[in-house]
Amino acid sequence: MANDLIEGCLRQDPKSQRGLYEKYRQSWFMTCLRYARNRMEADDIFQDGLMNVFKNLKQFDAKKAAFSTWSHRVMVNAALQYLRKWNQIDNLSLSESYVAEPIVEEDINDKMNAQELIKMIQKLPVGYRIVFNMYVLEGYKHKEIADILGITVSTSKTQLFKAKKILQKEVEFLFQNDYE
């Protein structure tokens, strides 16, 4: 199905373009949301990524990767470009201070859902958020992250460690309040 949509998009068929958009928009947007600080930033990243997907569709090679993998990487690259553009990625220092502000939900009884996790990730300092997303959720290695972001491997590892610690505290807080 995706291959038919891709072929249609390459022929500039509006129905195929709409179909491809509808098929992947939710997962693409969720990727953008994880890198953004808020929904407005995610919308901007999504628009840039969407344009890049359609503009570069002819570069997609089904022999190298599935379309979902390729397009997901396009969205990650759009997020990184956006963060560079707004100077959020230039100074990924380890000295970023972070004060945990617990997420208080009206109804925590249904345990943690994807929205709560995304809120937690969005609250991370930008360096922690980017490294966490790239390593844990995108599957990049620390060396790749270091090369892409222009940081050392040890900085990548340290930021991942700190991000995990912050998220662990937030999750513990969420569940602790759930059981009291």
Side-chain angles (χ1 to χ4, degrees):
M1 167 115 177
N3 290 338
D4 294 337
L5 292 173
I6 293 165
E7 289 174 22
C9 288
L10 291 171
R11 292 189 312 268
Q12 303 296 315
D13 174 45
K15 285 185 181 179
S16 296
Q17 291 168 337
R18 183 70 181 174
L20 195 67
Y21 169 81
E22 289 297 328
K23 182 172 177 65
Y24 293 100
R25 72 182 165 104
Q26 185 174 5
S27 64
W28 290 340
F29 187 74
M30 294 303 287
T31 298
C32 298
L33 201 55
R34 286 195 329 264
Y35 282 87
R37 288 181 293 191
N38 54 50
R39 188 172 182 89
M40 196 165 87
E41 272 189 5
D43 285 336
D44 289 345
I45 294 167
F46 180 71
Q47 290 303 315
D48 292 345
L50 193 59
M51 289 175 42
N52 290 337
V53 165
F54 284 103
K55 185 173 81 175
N56 298 309
L57 194 56
K58 61 186 167 284
Q59 295 177 11
F60 167 66
D61 184 353
K63 294 174 185 154
K64 292 183 180 177
F67 178 75
S68 59
T69 303
W70 178 84
S71 64
H72 185 78
R73 285 279 170 126
V74 171
M75 290 295 169
V76 170
N77 289 337
L80 295 175
Q81 287 173 344
Y82 178 90
L83 295 172
R84 279 190 187 97
K85 177 181 174 182
W86 296 104
N87 296 322
Q88 293 183 38
I89 207 170
D90 287 341
N91 299 315
L92 299 182
S93 71
L94 294 175
S95 63
E96 293 184 72
S97 61
Y98 178 82
V99 177
E101 296 174 23
I103 293 177
V104 179
E105 294 293 325
E106 292 175 13
D107 182 16
I108 302 179
N109 293 329
D110 61 347
K111 304 267 188 233
M112 192 165 89
N113 62 37
Q115 279 185 319
E116 291 167 331
L117 180 59
I118 287 173
K119 285 180 186 178
M120 289 178 189
I121 293 171
Q122 287 177 326
K123 287 175 53 181
L124 290 171
V126 66
Y128 300 178
R129 185 173 68 239
I130 292 169
V131 172
F132 178 83
N133 279 316
M134 292 180 78
Y135 186 86
V136 174
L137 302 171
E138 314 300 345
Y140 286 88
K141 304 290 183 218
H142 285 294
K143 174 77 171 112
E144 294 172 299
I145 295 168
D147 291 344
I148 291 168
L149 299 179
I151 59 177
T152 66
V153 170
S154 64
T155 298
S156 177
K157 288 179 179 181
T158 302
Q159 290 195 352
L160 176 63
F161 174 79
K162 289 181 175 186
K164 285 180 175 181
K165 281 293 186 194
I166 291 167
L167 292 172
Q168 181 181 6
K169 286 179 185 176
E170 297 243 356
V171 169
E172 286 171 1
F173 177 82
L174 190 68
F175 287 111
Q176 178 184 3
N177 286 341
D178 191 30
Y179 292 110
E180 289 181 350

